[in-house]
Amino acid sequence: ELSSRVTHDLRNPLNSLKMAIEILKTKKPEMIKENQEYFDMMQHAVLRMNHQIDEVLGFIKKSPPKRANVKFSEIISKSLESFQFPKNIKISVSENDGMIWCDKNQLQNVIVNLISNSIHAIGKKDGKIIINFQKEKKFDKITVEDNGDGIPDDSLDAIFEPLFTTKQTGTGLGLVSCKNTVEAHKGEISAKNLPTGGVIFTILLPKADVE
Ligand SMILES: Nc1ncnc2c1ncn2[C@@H]1O[C@H](COP(=O)(O)OP(=O)(O)O)[C@@H](O)[C@H]1O
Ligand SMILES: [Mg+2]
């Protein structure tokens, strides 16, 4: 299978590189100190490549969701584990909790994608990311909101297209993967600019008893 080959062929050499940097750190600390910025560049590049691989794989791998009832708060806390939040960004998660009928890993990936886009959109300003959860009649509603730069109105239709990116190192695969996942759950995802600046993404997932 293509995706497992990509994983194997790209991740293994990347891991070797990462390990080699770690070994140098312990064996040659003075050398690292003298060349700190170059080592930082290397480490940053490794992280970025891992991230790109994740996005490409997330797009290629379209397995049907294996659904179960999962707690909203659990999905969010797992998603947040994969970030080191910059100090300028505050994150707030709704106290509202409840069960969602979904594939836990797949929905986690969606949330991670949205949060990483928000972090990017906020950049170095002081910013906040607000994650909300609401049970509605037929749907469970999750929103991810930020006060970043927002999306130019003429791009709003394009952001869910494969390969659409405004970032120098973007893949343009994050949101299309989110959309694929949500639609595989028979749900909907949409984006809206906020009057105050920033964007709100809304995910609607059908409740278990709706199907
Ligand atoms: N929270 C956001 N705020 C502003 N723009 C966004 C946000 N999320 C996505 N976008 C826009 O949508 C584009 C596509 O996002 P995505 O599919 O995740 O690809 P990538 O992150 O690799 O660019 C981004 O390049 C950006 O222009
Ligand atoms: Mg993205």
Side-chain angles (χ1 to χ4, degrees):
E1 201 199 338
L2 177 66
S3 57
S4 55
R5 219 173 65 207
V6 172
T7 309
H8 186 266
D9 291 356
L10 293 180
R11 279 211 217 276
N12 286 0
L14 260 182
N15 277 334
S16 307
L17 190 55
K18 198 170 147 200
M19 294 269 285
I21 297 172
E22 292 303 321
I23 292 169
L24 278 176
K25 268 185 178 167
T26 44
K27 284 201 166 168
K28 304 264 180 204
E30 67 295 338
M31 178 178 132
I32 300 274
K33 243 187 211 149
E34 282 165 24
N35 299 283
Q36 192 71 52
E37 61 180 306
Y38 301 115
F39 280 99
D40 288 347
M41 277 167 71
M42 283 162 76
Q43 267 180 322
H44 189 75
V46 170
L47 281 180
R48 219 170 71 200
M49 281 184 73
N50 263 322
H51 173 79
Q52 310 272 63
I53 294 170
D54 285 343
E55 291 216 330
V56 174
L57 284 182
F59 177 66
I60 297 173
K61 264 203 248 159
K62 275 194 205 161
S63 42
K66 294 191 193 74
R67 280 183 271 195
N69 277 311
V70 195
K71 239 187 181 170
F72 163 77
S73 56
E74 189 191 330
I75 288 172
I76 300 303
S77 58
K78 280 270 161 54
S79 308
L80 294 178
E81 273 173 19
S82 52
F83 292 99
Q84 272 190 311
F85 283 97
K87 287 207 174 65
N88 59 310
I89 297 179
K90 285 213 173 70
I91 178 128
S92 102
V93 180
S94 98
E95 308 239 311
N96 223 353
D97 203 357
M99 292 300 191
I100 305 176
W101 177 239
C102 68
D103 183 310
K104 188 167 119 183
N105 293 322
Q106 289 188 5
L107 190 58
Q108 240 165 258
N109 278 333
V110 170
I111 303 294
V112 166
N113 266 310
L114 295 180
I115 293 175
S116 72
N117 281 342
S118 288
I119 292 176
H120 190 276
I122 291 170
K124 296 214 181 322
K125 299 173 299 200
D126 279 330
K128 60 174 191 286
I129 299 171
I130 303 169
I131 304 173
N132 261 313
F133 178 66
Q134 188 75 52
K135 286 216 159 282
E136 300 196 336
K137 214 168 178 187
K138 291 186 175 167
F139 292 98
D140 291 328
K141 182 165 96 178
I142 302 172
T143 57
V144 178
E145 175 185 337
D146 64 55
N147 63 343
D149 286 336
I151 300 169
D153 281 328
D154 57 357
S155 300
L156 266 174
D157 287 335
I159 58 169
F160 292 103
E161 296 292 324
L163 307 181
F164 176 85
T165 182
T166 56
K167 300 170 193 170
Q168 225 161 33
T169 59
T171 58
L173 294 176
L175 287 178
V176 65
S177 300
C178 293
K179 189 174 153 88
N180 286 341
T181 300
V182 171
E183 289 182 349
H185 283 74
K186 302 196 175 82
E188 286 169 33
I189 182 168
S190 60
K192 235 174 84 182
N193 281 313
L194 294 163
T196 48
V199 187
I200 183 165
F201 281 87
T202 302
I203 299 169
L204 297 175
L205 293 174
K207 289 182 170 175
D209 53 11
V210 170
E211 284 179 36

